[in-house]
Amino acid sequence: MLRPEDDFELPVFDRPMEDPPSRVPYEVAVRAFEEIIVALKLREKTPRVAEDIPEFKM
């Protein structure tokens, strides 16, 4: 559990680099990363079908 002195915001570059980054609370950022990780793990478990790519000839 986070202590009050550990609470901070992370800069998130969700706009062009010329604009200042958004400030996102640490817990919100962690939750977002956890959702991304879960989605990637599900994707890894899904078998991918090999593509039949024809040989390129000039």
Side-chain angles (χ1 to χ4, degrees), residues 7-32:
D7 192 26
F8 59 93
E9 293 183 336
L10 298 172
V12 176
F13 292 92
D14 55 355
R15 300 187 294 254
M17 292 296 285
E18 298 84 32
D19 295 335
S22 298
R23 304 300 290 179
V24 177
Y26 177 78
E27 289 182 2
V28 173
V30 168
R31 237 179 285 122

Side-chain angles (χ1 to χ4, degrees), residues 33-54:
F33 280 120
E34 287 173 347
E35 290 174 13
I36 292 168
I37 291 168
V38 167
L40 290 175
K41 285 183 180 179
L42 287 175
R43 195 169 157 201
E44 287 175 0
K45 292 179 184 177
T46 306
R48 290 190 289 166
V49 179
E51 294 180 47
D52 184 23
I53 301 173

